[in-house]
Amino acid sequence: MEKDFIIAGFGGQGVLLAGEVLANGFMLDDKKVTWYPSYGAEMRGGTVNCSISMSDEEVSAVQKSHADYIIVLNQASFDKFTPIVRKGGTIIVNTSLAEKVQTRDDINYVFAPITQMAEEKLGNIKMSNILALGLLSKACGLVSLETLEKALYNVIPPHRKHLIPKNVEALKLGYEYDLLKV
């Protein structure tokens, strides 16, 4: 079973870090994984996304034309990536920075004020990326919170290890969010 994921936003939102954590989590679960970053030369403030593919078998290709699960952290990413969600797939939308609209009736939407939650409940909007992974964990059921927590320890650099407890809190906050909340 191969599943494809995209995480997208603008530079500075931690999109690539979130992708690395997700990919590492799948590796910890003994899955075959690819992680492919894509970003413009402008970096901070420019568009950034990464593709993660995981499978029990060898992954068929690095870049895919469609994805099963997509996290979009801003409006530009919503506009760009909604069309490539596979039929029956799921898109997680940060309604703090993107409109809450359903442009398709053949996919599942998870709308959550991710940035607002990170700011109000965690005191740091830079936790939005990891909070979104908690939402994804619950929505897809393919990687557990415990595994993502272990992945944080593998991916976060030594000089940032003091931030892991707050990142774990962000994961849990995302996981506990009511996916059906309107």
Side-chain angles (χ1 to χ4, degrees):
M1 162 196 67
E2 186 167 305
K3 294 291 181 185
D4 302 304
F5 302 78
I6 293 175
I7 303 172
F10 55 78
Q13 286 186 299
V15 167
L16 301 182
L17 175 65
E20 286 184 80
V21 171
L22 181 61
N24 194 275
F26 288 138
M27 287 189 292
L28 288 170
D29 283 344
D30 294 321
K31 303 294 183 193
K32 308 285 190 227
V33 179
T34 62
W35 172 79
Y36 187 80
S38 176
Y39 47 88
E42 62 276 347
M43 288 299 282
R44 195 165 297 277
T47 59
V48 176
N49 70 80
C50 61
S51 301
I52 303 99
S53 294
M54 77 82 168
S55 178
D56 296 320
E57 310 289 321
E58 291 297 320
V59 175
S60 62
V62 175
Q63 284 188 298
K64 307 292 178 75
S65 58
H66 289 85
D68 300 288
Y69 297 92
I70 298 181
I71 295 172
V72 293
L73 296 176
N74 64 356
Q75 187 67 47
S77 298
F78 178 84
D79 296 341
K80 180 177 181 177
F81 290 105
T82 300
I84 68 168
V85 179
R86 278 194 182 95
K87 183 178 180 179
T90 299
I91 187 164
I92 297 170
V93 182
N94 177 9
T95 59
S96 300
L97 300 174
E99 289 183 57
K100 184 179 173 182
V101 293
Q102 294 184 351
T103 57
R104 294 176 53 187
D105 61 6
D106 63 340
I107 64 174
N108 304 303
Y109 290 86
V110 174
F111 294 108
I114 295 169
T115 304
Q116 180 184 344
M117 289 169 54
E119 184 173 28
E120 291 176 1
K121 306 229 179 195
L122 302 168
N124 189 344
I125 63 170
K126 291 183 178 183
M127 298 289 157
S128 298
N129 59 338
I130 304 302
L131 194 153
L133 285 183
L135 284 161
L136 177 68
S137 174
K138 186 173 186 177
C140 75
L142 296 170
V143 62
S144 70
L145 272 186
E146 295 77 19
T147 298
L148 290 174
E149 183 176 340
K150 289 177 190 170
L152 283 169
Y153 282 93
N154 290 344
V155 173
I156 303 241
H159 67 284
R160 300 256 190 251
K161 293 289 187 201
H162 66 282
L163 296 173
I164 290 177
K166 197 60 129 174
N167 278 280
V168 170
E169 192 178 337
L171 275 174
K172 290 177 182 174
L173 182 62
Y175 191 86
E176 292 166 0
Y177 186 78
D178 181 0
L179 298 181
L180 301 176
K181 193 172 188 175
V182 177

